[in-house]
Amino acid sequence: MMQNLEINFKQIDKIKKITKEEKNFRIKNLESFKASGFPNKRQEDWKFTDFKSIVDSNFKELDAQRVSSNINKIDLLKNFEHNYVLLVNGNLHSSNFDYEEKSKIRINNYDKSIDYEISKNPLICLNHALAENGYSLEIDKNYKFKKVLVIYNLFTKDIKNKILNNKNKIKINENSELHVIEYTINESKSKFINNVYENIILEKNSKFKNLFMQNNKSDGFFHKFIKNKLSLNADISNLIFSSGLKFNKIDIECDLVEENSKCNILSALFLKKNEHQEIKTLVNHLAPNCKSNQKIKKVLSSGSKGVYQGKIYVKDIAQKTDAYQLSKALLLDDNAEFNSKPELEIYADDVKCSHGSSSGNIDQDSLYYLMTRGLSRKDSSKLLIKGFLNEVIEFIKNPSIKKFIETNLEYQINEY
Amino acid sequence: MLEIKNLQASINNKTILKGLNLTIKPGELHAIMGPNGSGKSTLANVLSGKSGYEISGDVNYEGKSLKKVSVEERAQRGIFLAFQYPLEIPGVNTNNFLKTSLNSIRKSKGKKELDTLTFLKLVKEKASELGINEKILSRQLNVGFSGGEKKKNEILQMKILDPNLSILDETDSGLDIDALKTIASGVNSSRDSKKSFLVITHYQRLLEYIKPDFVHVLSNGKIIKTGCGELAEELEKTGYQKLN
């Protein structure tokens, strides 16, 4: 049982240059968090994940004080040319936009705005109460990035029993385009929690691709809430490839606020022993003629747990909505678990909405077919697993990035 | 090449093969005909090593018992089964699969694995021999293939893997006359004094293009009659009923 989470109101007092309003906002959120504590299964959004007991059984203490961000050097990816932002323990450390017109890009420390309502999710409240670092990135209008932007999300060796609260913001103005790979590198061998709030705003005709992955296995516990807000013709894709984490919950809320906006949420994951990966989505169709597409594919091996809670909401005025949702799990043994909760809430009458969910084992006949061609059972399984996940990888158009993701997934599958 | 003695096979407590005897020598092509439910596909499955069957009797391949030899090892030793219903494997590129397959067989024989370029050259050569459009090979394995394309793809795999014993399980069923000719030419061009074939079919039609050395009639789990090519023609006229 966790004895003490060192959070008190004094911690908020330590935050420098704080307005009275901000202080009130933080205190209000902290009170809300304290009232409920870490989320447990009684909350609908956490019905498959008792985060409270996960925290209790993994941490004796948790410290929410901010941490330093000193590092010597980081090895950049060599697989493709890219711009980068380096976050160290969630703090904005440095950035490099050498491939771009720098005047079009602004990057700053986290966004201090406080116009958020109190959330039902205690972890969001905790974030609003305590986050004092992260980044804020804004792209001017009419600017398309020439190269991908890699956000290196580095956690240092000395992170232990910490809960790091970070707040990020990306704003892409009219007619602009950005492709991000959020690449998590965890050097800490200890347990810690990273709790992130991310705000993504897409103005008219803008385009954003956001790809998540990590370079290694990790004992970190990650929770990320992402709020997407899309204007006219805006187009967002979230691609989640972050396997290998002890606990990872990505909670995406996407508001299609204006007509013809599009949202893609795709995921291909391979989970191993005791890994927990959860994707929760809420796609709000708030205007007519918007399109959303969710495709979640998980391969689960021994003792791993995958969760998908996906909801599509269609407002009464959102006619001609085209919404699709599919989750599929491949269970490699009896100890793996997949929970899926698809939900549709529709108030418009002229819409196309569909959802599906399935889980099963590797098809024995397919396995047999491949083995009659001289492949071992193991190699045949691997081929089928890759085939299962491939559908999502096919979505990546850039060949070198695709190769990079493929290699990374293949590496995980080969360990199976 | 292949020697089957008193083979019995049952699945789910139902006996399908009831003491089957068959000997195939190198270079020979044997055809097995028989009515529905006579055990033709079971024979093909059992020879390929498919699990789920209870088996007794002897099956020797190249002088060694196949008992306890796994599916993949049989394939590596040169037994090939062309499926009656080739499976669709989504997400797996046909060429990649063929290359993995060929290289695992080569590896098991201690041969050097082929690099992509050499492999693609080989595929191109074999595909054009069979008149198969190479484009289907860059697609997902059998996914969206027509019935004919699937069967042709099986024969292409046979050509590439170059097995000693090829078992064709009703490869001719559901094919138009052109596809049938492609399949037949694939088999005929592979025949030599060392390679053996076991062609399972319902109809005599395929045997107009592939000349068998022996024709066997399988009925109720046993071979009830053996003859040469003319037996197939006779069956076509009289049907299986009269043999019983």
Side-chain angles (χ1 to χ4, degrees), chain A residues 368-383:
Chain A
Y368 164 62
Y369 182 60
L370 297 180
M371 285 164 71
T372 62
R373 302 306 184 244
L375 275 67
S376 69
R377 180 172 286 270
K378 197 145 211 177
D379 286 343
S380 305
S381 305
K382 283 177 188 169
L383 206 58

Side-chain angles (χ1 to χ4, degrees), chain B residues 48-87:
Chain B
S48 74
K50 191 177 185 180
S51 61
Y53 293 97
E54 274 201 47
I55 293 165
S56 68
D58 294 322
V59 180
N60 290 327
Y61 169 71
E62 292 180 331
K64 286 179 193 152
S65 169
L66 282 180
K67 223 176 244 177
K68 292 181 185 165
V69 179
S70 65
V71 178
E72 71 265 31
E73 201 183 326
R74 290 175 197 223
Q76 288 162 2
R77 286 207 212 155
I79 298 179
F80 178 86
L81 170 62
F83 276 53
Q84 185 178 1
Y85 305 108
L87 280 98

Side-chain angles (χ1 to χ4, degrees), chain B residues 44-196:
Chain B
N45 289 343
V46 167
L47 291 177
S48 74
K50 191 177 185 180
S51 61
Y53 293 97
E54 274 201 47
I55 293 165
S56 68
D58 294 322
V59 180
N60 290 327
Y61 169 71
E62 292 180 331
K64 286 179 193 152
S65 169
L66 282 180
K67 223 176 244 177
K68 292 181 185 165
V69 179
S70 65
V71 178
E72 71 265 31
E73 201 183 326
R74 290 175 197 223
Q76 288 162 2
R77 286 207 212 155
I79 298 179
F80 178 86
L81 170 62
F83 276 53
Q84 185 178 1
Y85 305 108
L87 280 98
E88 298 192 2
I89 314 281
V92 174
N93 175 283
T94 308
N95 264 329
N96 280 350
F97 155 70
L98 281 174
K99 183 169 166 247
T100 317
S101 168
L102 178 61
N103 278 336
S104 52
I105 289 176
R106 289 180 68 93
K107 213 167 129 188
S108 75
K109 290 180 177 160
K111 286 188 190 167
K112 215 179 128 213
E113 293 184 30
L114 291 188
D115 59 64
T116 307
L117 273 179
T118 323
F119 170 77
L120 287 176
K121 220 178 118 196
L122 175 77
V123 172
K124 203 170 176 173
E125 186 192 307
K126 300 289 179 193
S128 76
E129 263 179 49
L130 288 172
I132 291 176
N133 188 347
E134 270 177 80
K135 273 185 192 152
I136 69 167
L137 302 173
S138 51
R139 297 192 346 218
Q140 299 175 44
L141 183 54
N142 291 329
V143 177
F145 283 31
S146 71
E149 282 173 334
K150 280 182 187 168
K151 297 291 179 80
K152 283 186 193 171
N153 190 20
E154 293 290 287
I155 297 304
L156 176 67
Q157 289 175 38
M158 182 187 85
K159 295 291 276 183
I160 289 168
L161 301 180
D162 197 25
N164 299 328
L165 173 64
S166 303
I167 304 160
L168 278 63
D169 187 6
E170 295 195 28
T171 304
D172 56 332
S173 58
L175 292 187
D176 63 36
I177 197 74
D178 293 330
L180 195 70
K181 283 181 182 167
T182 304
I183 302 292
S185 85
V187 172
N188 289 331
S189 62
S190 305
R191 288 180 78 168
D192 65 26
S193 62
K194 287 183 192 132
K195 291 190 167 40
S196 308

